[in-house]
Amino acid sequence: MTDTIVETASAQVDAARASGHVPVVRTFFDEATFTATHVVHDPRTKRAAVIDSVQDFDQASGRTSHASADAVIAYVRETGLTVDWLLETHAHADHLSDAPYLHRALGGTLVIGREIRTVQGVFGKIFNEPESFARDGSQFDRLMDDGERFALGDIEATALHVPGHTPACLAYVIGDAVFVGDTLFMPDYGTARADFPGGDARTLFRSMRRLMQLPDATRAFLCHDYKAPNRDEFVWETTIGDEKAGNIHVHEGVGEDEFVAMREARDGTLDMPRLILPSIQVNIRAGNLPEPEDNGVSYLKLPLNLL
């Protein structure tokens, strides 16, 4: 079956490369959570997007801070950018989003995939959230669908639904670049886990194969890097062609059943992410903390013997 949405996104990549009008990407890497926050902008219009921001969080003290976001804000202001978009690839399980803080400082429309409603429903039950916790995605400014088009200045952009790691994962194709979230890692490291509530290894395989239909020259920017064995530096940029040729888990020639067997076996050996419980509670609220209680303090829950 022809995937007309990917065909459209591929044509967008080819057109951007042919014209030379491609986005500029500046990445801020948070080593504490191994997270890459990308600031992408149109060099002609200076219109920008911030993708997958990080809120600093000290779990031992329960204190939040904003040094990571402040570095992004400083860069945006020094470069003279106008932020139109705050894009989340999914509700992260390994770091807290700082989208509300960035919004107050820089503006922008906060976006996530429409299936965040599914994630809110699942984790609303896990955390026994009250009825006042909205499960309709209304904490975000805009919920995007598969194939939805938008623009970064004069550069065309397309959202691709790539579930499997979570039901709500979106990749954003902006000009000749794709921001894949946790769906793919560097070729020497492999692929995202698929064992969180709502995840599915078979769905993940199909999403990755979908991304690999983009042109080989498409620049691919990742949300995380953990340094593969025998590599000393963090890296967060590759190409779709390199993923197809060399991804150790899902290169061309790896079949769906083979991948699913590997991924499920590997996931069975992994510990839960260190920050999953605080992260999910904040990120399903679009980066906001839970409503303060009558003493003015926000609290995060720690479900025991459940996950």
Side-chain angles (χ1 to χ4, degrees):
M1 180 181 296
T2 301
D3 191 329
T4 57
I5 291 173
V6 175
E7 283 188 347
T8 299
S10 296
Q12 170 193 304
V13 170
D14 289 338
R17 290 183 58 80
S19 69
H21 187 196
V22 299
V24 174
V25 182
R26 170 72 159 85
T27 300
F28 296 80
F29 190 76
D30 178 52
E31 193 167 338
T33 61
F34 307 102
T35 301
T37 295
H38 306 292
V39 181
V40 52
H41 78 268
D42 175 359
R44 294 182 184 173
T45 66
K46 299 281 191 171
R47 313 302 290 199
V50 180
I51 303 176
D52 291 333
S53 62
V54 173
Q55 180 174 180
D56 303 294
F57 177 65
D58 180 69
Q59 191 168 20
S61 66
R63 290 196 171 273
T64 61
S65 57
H66 305 284
S68 295
D70 284 337
V72 169
I73 292 167
Y75 168 76
V76 166
R77 290 175 172 165
E78 289 166 5
T79 312
L81 305 180
T82 299
V83 172
D84 289 335
W85 303 102
L86 302 171
L87 304 177
E88 298 285 351
T89 56
H90 62 294
H92 308 274
D94 38 35
H95 70 274
L96 284 65
S97 168
D98 216 1
Y101 182 79
L102 288 171
H103 184 268
R104 290 192 293 272
L106 301 173
T109 298
L110 177 55
V111 174
I112 201 166
R114 188 169 301 279
E115 289 304 315
I116 188 61
R117 300 174 301 177
T118 299
V119 177
Q120 290 174 328
V122 169
F123 282 98
K125 292 178 181 177
I126 287 173
F127 291 111
N128 197 31
E129 296 287 358
E131 290 186 6
S132 59
F133 169 66
R135 293 160 172 82
D136 59 1
S138 57
Q139 299 89 342
F140 299 83
D141 297 324
R142 181 168 168 180
L143 305 182
M144 280 198 182
D145 292 306
D146 186 34
E148 191 161 339
R149 307 293 299 280
F150 61 108
L152 188 68
D154 294 333
I155 295 176
E156 293 185 343
T158 305
L160 297 179
H161 187 213
V162 286
H165 175 62
T166 80
C169 288
L170 281 188
Y172 299 99
V173 184
I174 302 175
D176 74 329
V178 60
F179 299 84
V180 301
D182 286 13
T183 305
L184 285 165
F185 294 147
M186 288 299 294
D188 61 357
Y189 198 87
T191 57
R193 63 194 296 169
D195 60 331
F196 297 153
D200 180 76
R202 196 168 298 277
T203 302
L204 177 63
F205 178 87
R206 295 171 184 175
S207 291
M208 293 184 295
R209 285 287 179 250
R210 191 177 194 219
L211 287 171
M212 289 178 181
Q213 295 175 46
L214 293 169
D216 286 355
T218 308
R219 294 182 290 160
F221 292 89
L222 318 179
C223 187
H224 295 289
D225 186 55
Y226 301 96
K227 285 187 185 174
N230 304 316
R231 174 156 56 81
D232 296 328
E233 296 181 345
F234 291 109
V235 187
W236 45 79
E237 180 181 353
T238 182
T239 67
I240 290 298
D242 285 346
E243 292 282 12
K244 287 166 62 177
N247 188 290
I248 59 172
H249 293 166
V250 72
H251 58 78
E252 288 183 313
V254 174
E256 183 173 317
D257 290 341
E258 178 185 358
F259 172 80
V260 170
M262 178 283 300
R263 188 69 263 172
E264 291 181 346
R266 181 176 174 82
D267 287 349
T269 70
L270 301 177
D271 293 331
M272 296 296 282
R274 178 175 60 90
L275 294 180
I276 184 172
L277 295 176
S279 294
I280 292 292
Q281 290 175 79
V282 170
N283 294 338
I284 59 176
R285 292 176 164 84
N288 293 293
L289 299 177
E291 286 295 319
E293 298 192 8
D294 55 12
N295 62 353
V297 177
S298 295
Y299 291 86
L300 295 169
K301 292 182 177 179
L302 183 67
L304 301 176
N305 304 312
L306 179 61
L307 297 177

